[in-house]
Amino acid sequence: MPPDAKPAPSDPPSAPPQDALLARLRERLGARHVLTEATDLAPHLAEARGLYRGRALAVLRPADTAEVAFAVRACAEARVPVVAQGGNTGLVGGGVPQGGIVLSLARLSRIRAVDPVGATLTVEAGAVLADVQAAAEAAGMLFPLSLAAEGSCRIGGNLATNAGGTAVLAYGNARDLVLGLEVVLADGRVWNGLKGLRKNNAGYDLKHLFVGSEGTLGIITAAVLKLYPRPASRAVGFVGLPSPRAALALLERLRRAAGPDLTAFEVMPRFGLEIVLRHVPGAQRPLASGHDTYALVEFASPRPGADMAAELEAALAASLEAGLAEDATIGASEARNAALWRLRESLPEAQSREGGSIKHDVSVPLSRLPEFLERATAACLAEMPGLRPCAFGHFGDGNIHFNLSQPPSMDRAAFLAAWARFNRIVHDIVHDLDGSIAAEHGVGLIKRDELQHYGDPVGLDLMRRLKAALDPADILNPGKVVALSDDPPPALP
Amino acid sequence: MPPDAKPAPSDPPSAPPQDALLARLRERLGARHVLTEATDLAPHLAEARGLYRGRALAVLRPADTAEVAFAVRACAEARVPVVAQGGNTGLVGGGVPQGGIVLSLARLSRIRAVDPVGATLTVEAGAVLADVQAAAEAAGMLFPLSLAAEGSCRIGGNLATNAGGTAVLAYGNARDLVLGLEVVLADGRVWNGLKGLRKNNAGYDLKHLFVGSEGTLGIITAAVLKLYPRPASRAVGFVGLPSPRAALALLERLRRAAGPDLTAFEVMPRFGLEIVLRHVPGAQRPLASGHDTYALVEFASPRPGADMAAELEAALAASLEAGLAEDATIGASEARNAALWRLRESLPEAQSREGGSIKHDVSVPLSRLPEFLERATAACLAEMPGLRPCAFGHFGDGNIHFNLSQPPSMDRAAFLAAWARFNRIVHDIVHDLDGSIAAEHGVGLIKRDELQHYGDPVGLDLMRRLKAALDPADILNPGKVVALSDDPPPALP
């Protein structure tokens, strides 16, 4: 049964109603917070990888939740779409406006409260993730969410996309770090779910509905986040392994050795380390010789007496002795730990310097990761000999960025023209292994039709019903995640 | 805007269509799995505390998901309500049928798969929680959910009610232990969301919608659960404290000392320990003298070399030295650890032997727990001098069972007649402190109108929209959690 809601047209309405809307918004927000000049709009229309270019009537910069609510209500009454933006660092086109209004949360950036006893932090959606981390640290606590864009992404966007990153293994996804939310709904009402409770079964869990909905069901304006004790000791190791299967066996062994003290298990292939050493200034070879697969592992504990270096060293020595690992090193200082992390974190940058790359952000059940890597690598090489697969990432979470670097001699544009073909090959294997074609970056525009293609039809129908129930006029970020209308998203470049 | 769905009448339809429905169900499920005899129905109409008595046309015992789907579709077509039951151990009347069909999940009890490498277990909804724990243990892993009813409650019910229990501090609520679900919807379709992924951002998170919805949005038929390494070492301590404020300070100190190794922090008052020693055979006084407040604390770690007794002893010694704790003991053996736990776990039983009790399952932000206890205790004593407050439970989660034992000389029925009056007093304070009136047991019937009274109107409207979107004909457990109709729930005894 299709939802009976009528989607709003993605083209803006004719001029006079637009002018009336903008005048109304200027009156409430102040003219300087309703941007319409092309140069002001430009950064909000661009998208991190340049895959899409948006268009918008205006960019709003409300000061607080009441102004957000006013703006959404005014847009809803004028039937003009609203696309919320935090740091606009997303990788799936989820923040790209296709007409209508961009609502920037950047001015809602206050840390409202820090409660070290309750281990919570209450923050507005526009706070930069690094500032949230710093506020937690200033209170002697840890907010563990950490990802490449942390200096510019904003917490509202992290929650709206259920961000992943490098701390998921020990602390979970962004969804797992939130206790309460304040959300502006599609009709401009405010849901106050800003509770800092560890247990709350008073009805349906509404916060999980909004987290990960990419601004299509509501606009998050504030959140109560969980804090943790800060690590007192950490150790970082870099391990050379013969295969992804060996990496999985090492993960299992370290999980049993360290339990919750195993805080990261990232993997990169031989090709990945080579291009980092080639392109990243200051990068130093961590192990004497080359290996098929590298694991970056971290142990960390808040226990004051913990000696993570000793525990990691013992665990890795046992793995070497068992013939599981081929070689390993442990950072002898925090500077050296950070240098080992940089080898992993600078891989996307190195890959972009190595030519065109076609990307996949996928997950499979942990125990099927080696099979996925073997099958997907073989299938892609069969499709295009000379291709250089670079599968890396959050191995411990079952989440791999299965990226493909172009054959060195090939034309970049000709390679990128094969994007959809490789998507089909890789996503077919992910689907066959009961995995997800959108593990941590979300759906946005770039995977909306892939989700339609692979998603369980009953699940997709449920998503459409939720969208229709919460945003029947399709005001909030229309056309993203699930489409109520049949408009195709813009084609890839 | 009220949802435009029409609720089904809670009275069953006239005889002939009922007979046709039962005939159809007997044909598919087999006559012996469609129970209509009063003696067969009785255990499914009763409710754990005897607060409600249900009525039903029949109890169905489907064999598998396909039969559940058939039964729900048949009932939906006949517009007959369906109440799902697992172990029927709930404490809020959520499983009480008010007409219609009881659908027992008891025969869907298979462990479908255990994957120790992926650290997941796939199980059908009717498996008894203790059997799920045992299946995990047989694979050398831990499924941490643990609660008093674990020998008879079933995992589907645990998930449908987002069960809490004694392992929430370290592992989270039932919601946090599930990766994927299979759900039969209100129209009999099956949503297959049975994925074992640690990261999945492919659209809205549907599983969190069904977890905690108490069978009102869908019927959970199977789940993929998270497993953890088993503890290699654990230590249990029993601590005498001068006040709840001191308990909070101790919690903060232990959290910093142990981090994720702090796996339980339960609290009981002086009166609570006294009645356990009075009524529970074999219960032994753990400390030489009496104290205002007792904390049961547990450290546990899967690290093979961990010595939790030494770490707990050091942490408690420092707390005694700091004047925070008045006295403390640590279990010298696993038998002694279990005996300390029994003091806490047998408190509800002791309280029921001590006369009538009026119960509240509430939570507040951790840092406001002492204030809640002080205010609520004073307010209740002012209302009824001689009352004996017995506030105990999952202090580390901010979740207190704020129970009131009757004055010794008072008539039991006269005391219980004050139930609603004390609810109002206690819940008003919870509400004022931004807490929850339904922390871990859920809403069901017993708190449906309290939720209506205290809930954020926008949040309640969202809940009704979700119900109307997923179950427009009000087939699934009608009248529980949020009511689409205005029928009042049965009054309390």
Side-chain angles (χ1 to χ4, degrees):
Chain A
M1 179 179 69
D4 60 359
K6 289 232 182 57
S10 53
D11 280 318
S14 56
Q18 280 180 25
D19 289 352
L21 172 63
L22 293 179
R24 201 176 159 198
L25 292 167
R26 281 195 191 95
E27 191 185 356
R28 174 69 190 262
L29 274 61
R32 69 198 183 94
H33 296 304
V34 180
L35 312 177
T36 51
E37 294 294 323
T39 49
D40 293 332
L41 262 55
H44 298 275
L45 307 181
E47 176 265 342
R49 295 204 289 236
L51 298 177
Y52 299 104
R53 209 175 136 215
R55 58 196 165 79
L57 281 177
V59 172
L60 309 185
R61 295 169 44 85
D64 56 26
T65 303
E67 286 193 3
V68 174
F70 177 89
V72 172
R73 191 164 50 247
C75 290
E77 285 168 10
R79 296 185 77 82
V80 169
V82 178
V83 180
Q85 280 187 2
N88 197 22
T89 61
L91 296 172
V92 292
V96 175
Q98 301 174 287
I101 294 284
V102 171
L103 194 150
S104 166
L105 278 301
R107 290 175 68 213
L108 281 80
S109 60
R110 277 192 315 141
I111 308 285
R112 289 192 191 166
V114 185
D115 175 359
V117 175
T120 62
L121 184 152
T122 306
V123 63
E124 293 179 351
V128 170
L129 174 53
D131 294 338
V132 178
Q133 295 166 342
E137 185 171 355
M141 303 290 283
L142 172 73
F143 180 63
L145 185 67
S146 178
L147 44 93
E150 63 196 26
S152 50
C153 65
R154 295 172 190 270
I155 190 69
N158 298 142
L159 296 174
T161 59
N162 186 29
T166 54
V168 173
L169 188 62
Y171 299 98
N173 296 283
R175 167 184 309 290
D176 303 304
L177 302 173
V178 62
L179 294 173
L181 290 181
E182 178 187 86
V183 178
V184 172
L185 304 178
D187 56 9
R189 291 181 302 165
V190 180
W191 172 54
N192 179 4
L194 214 50
K195 285 183 185 285
L197 304 173
R198 308 277 159 173
K199 276 185 176 170
N200 184 8
N201 279 344
Y204 307 149
D205 193 307
L206 299 173
K207 69 176 182 294
H208 280 303
L209 194 60
F210 296 109
V211 174
S213 71
E214 304 185 28
T216 63
L217 300 180
I219 297 177
I220 296 169
T221 50
V224 183
L225 306 174
K226 289 187 200 169
L227 300 181
Y228 294 82
R230 293 192 68 73
S233 169
R234 87 160 176 167
V236 178
F238 207 87
V239 188
L241 295 150
S243 66
R245 279 185 198 275
L248 183 59
L250 178 66
L251 169 64
E252 202 187 351
R253 179 181 277 262
L254 296 184
R255 198 173 57 203
R256 288 185 186 273
D261 295 348
L262 174 64
T263 50
F265 194 99
E266 302 280 312
V267 153
M268 59 200 285
R270 184 193 297 258
F271 170 72
L273 182 59
E274 275 169 18
I275 61 175
V276 166
L277 296 173
R278 185 179 309 154
H279 295 296
V280 178
Q284 289 183 355
R285 189 173 291 282
L287 301 171
S289 59
H291 303 271
D292 177 89
T293 299
Y294 298 96
L296 180 141
V297 303
E298 183 185 274
F299 282 14
S301 170
R303 285 173 290 121
D307 182 350
M308 288 292 107
E311 298 205 10
L312 180 56
E313 199 170 335
L316 291 181
S319 304
L320 287 163
E321 218 164 283
L324 197 59
E326 295 173 333
D327 196 3
T329 183
I330 292 182
S333 65
E334 261 306 301
R336 183 82 186 121
N337 285 342
L340 291 174
W341 261 112
R342 264 199 306 279
L343 294 175
R344 158 65 188 85
E345 285 172 337
S346 54
L347 181 45
E349 177 198 334
Q351 212 192 0
S352 75
R353 292 181 191 220
E354 190 61 25
S357 59
I358 293 173
K359 305 192 174 191
H360 306 86
D361 165 42
V362 302
S363 63
V364 296
L366 207 45
S367 51
R368 309 189 82 172
L369 250 186
E371 181 187 352
F372 164 69
L373 290 168
E374 288 159 10
R375 283 176 59 182
T377 301
C380 290
L381 287 174
E383 176 71 15
M384 187 183 285
L387 188 77
R388 295 166 304 164
C390 186
F392 70 94
H394 317 300
F395 191 99
D397 310 322
N399 172 203
I400 291 294
H401 300 311
F402 192 83
N403 294 355
L404 305 167
S405 277
Q406 64 170 86
S409 56
M410 192 173 180
D411 174 67
R412 180 191 170 94
F415 174 68
L416 292 179
W419 191 296
R421 217 163 80 223
F422 280 108
N423 277 185
R424 183 63 63 245
I425 291 170
V426 173
H427 290 167
D428 274 355
I429 297 169
V430 168
H431 185 67
D432 187 49
L433 293 172
D434 265 336
S436 171
I437 60 161
E440 68 168 1
H441 297 160
V443 174
L445 279 176
I446 202 174
K447 288 185 182 169
R448 193 193 76 179
D449 291 358
E450 286 293 274
L451 178 60
Q452 188 66 33
H453 180 80
Y454 290 106
D456 173 60
V458 176
L460 289 168
D461 176 63
L462 286 173
M463 290 183 204
R464 267 181 239 108
R465 285 182 187 223
L466 294 175
K467 174 69 174 173
L470 268 66
D471 182 16
D474 207 11
I475 294 297
L476 297 177
N477 211 2
K480 314 293 170 56
V481 188
V482 284
L484 288 183
S485 70
D486 290 328
D487 293 344
L492 279 167
Chain B
M1 181 177 67
D4 59 0
K6 290 231 181 57
S10 52
D11 280 319
S14 55
Q18 279 180 27
D19 290 351
L21 171 64
L22 292 179
R24 203 178 158 195
L25 292 167
R26 280 193 193 97
E27 190 185 358
R28 173 70 188 260
L29 274 60
R32 69 198 183 93
H33 297 303
V34 180
L35 313 176
T36 50
E37 294 295 323
T39 48
D40 293 332
L41 262 55
H44 299 274
L45 306 181
E47 176 266 343
R49 294 203 290 237
L51 297 177
Y52 299 104
R53 210 176 134 215
R55 58 196 166 78
L57 281 178
V59 172
L60 309 185
R61 295 169 44 87
D64 55 27
T65 303
E67 287 193 3
V68 174
F70 177 90
V72 173
R73 192 165 48 247
C75 290
E77 285 168 10
R79 296 185 76 83
V80 169
V82 178
V83 180
Q85 280 187 3
N88 197 21
T89 60
L91 296 171
V92 291
V96 175
Q98 300 174 286
I101 294 284
V102 171
L103 195 150
S104 165
L105 279 300
R107 289 175 69 215
L108 281 79
S109 60
R110 278 193 313 142
I111 308 286
R112 289 192 191 166
V114 185
D115 175 358
V117 176
T120 62
L121 185 151
T122 306
V123 63
E124 293 179 352
V128 170
L129 174 54
D131 294 337
V132 179
Q133 295 166 342
E137 184 169 356
M141 303 289 285
L142 172 74
F143 180 64
L145 185 67
S146 179
L147 44 93
E150 63 196 25
S152 50
C153 64
R154 295 172 190 268
I155 190 69
N158 297 142
L159 296 174
T161 59
N162 186 29
T166 53
V168 173
L169 189 62
Y171 299 98
N173 296 283
R175 169 186 306 291
D176 303 304
L177 302 173
V178 63
L179 294 173
L181 289 182
E182 178 187 87
V183 178
V184 171
L185 304 178
D187 55 9
R189 291 181 302 165
V190 179
W191 171 55
N192 179 2
L194 214 49
K195 285 182 186 285
L197 304 173
R198 307 279 159 170
K199 277 185 176 170
N200 183 8
N201 278 343
Y204 307 150
D205 193 308
L206 299 173
K207 69 176 183 293
H208 280 303
L209 194 60
F210 296 108
V211 174
S213 71
E214 303 185 29
T216 63
L217 299 181
I219 296 177
I220 295 170
T221 50
V224 184
L225 306 174
K226 290 187 201 170
L227 300 181
Y228 293 83
R230 293 191 67 74
S233 169
R234 86 161 177 167
V236 177
F238 207 88
V239 188
L241 295 150
S243 66
R245 279 185 197 276
L248 183 59
L250 178 65
L251 169 64
E252 202 187 351
R253 178 180 278 263
L254 296 184
R255 199 172 57 202
R256 289 186 184 273
D261 295 347
L262 175 63
T263 50
F265 194 99
E266 302 281 310
V267 154
M268 59 199 286
R270 183 194 296 260
F271 170 71
L273 181 60
E274 275 169 18
I275 60 176
V276 166
L277 296 172
R278 186 178 309 153
H279 296 294
V280 178
Q284 291 184 355
R285 189 173 291 282
L287 301 171
S289 59
H291 303 271
D292 177 90
T293 299
Y294 298 95
L296 179 142
V297 303
E298 183 185 273
F299 281 15
S301 170
R303 285 172 291 120
D307 182 351
M308 288 293 107
E311 297 205 10
L312 180 56
E313 198 171 336
L316 292 181
S319 303
L320 287 163
E321 216 165 284
L324 198 58
E326 294 173 334
D327 196 3
T329 182
I330 292 182
S333 65
E334 262 306 301
R336 183 82 185 122
N337 285 341
L340 291 174
W341 261 112
R342 265 198 305 280
L343 294 175
R344 157 65 187 86
E345 285 173 337
S346 55
L347 181 45
E349 177 199 332
Q351 211 190 0
S352 75
R353 290 177 194 225
E354 189 61 27
S357 59
I358 293 173
K359 305 193 174 192
H360 306 85
D361 166 42
V362 302
S363 63
V364 297
L366 207 45
S367 51
R368 309 188 81 170
L369 251 186
E371 181 186 353
F372 164 70
L373 291 168
E374 288 159 12
R375 282 175 61 182
T377 301
C380 291
L381 286 174
E383 177 71 15
M384 188 184 284
L387 188 75
R388 296 165 304 163
C390 186
F392 70 96
H394 317 299
F395 191 98
D397 311 322
N399 172 204
I400 291 294
H401 299 310
F402 192 84
N403 293 356
L404 305 167
S405 276
Q406 64 170 85
S409 56
M410 192 170 178
D411 174 67
R412 180 192 169 93
F415 174 68
L416 292 180
W419 191 296
R421 217 162 81 222
F422 280 107
N423 276 186
R424 183 64 62 246
I425 291 170
V426 174
H427 290 166
D428 273 355
I429 297 170
V430 168
H431 185 67
D432 188 48
L433 293 172
D434 264 336
S436 171
I437 61 160
E440 67 169 1
H441 297 161
V443 174
L445 279 176
I446 203 175
K447 288 186 181 169
R448 193 191 77 179
D449 291 358
E450 286 295 273
L451 178 60
Q452 187 65 34
H453 181 80
Y454 289 107
D456 173 60
V458 176
L460 289 168
D461 175 63
L462 286 173
M463 290 182 204
R464 266 182 240 108
R465 284 181 187 225
L466 294 176
K467 173 70 173 172
L470 268 65
D471 182 16
D474 207 12
I475 294 297
L476 298 177
N477 211 1
K480 313 293 169 58
V481 187
V482 284
L484 289 182
S485 70
D486 291 329
D487 292 344
L492 279 165

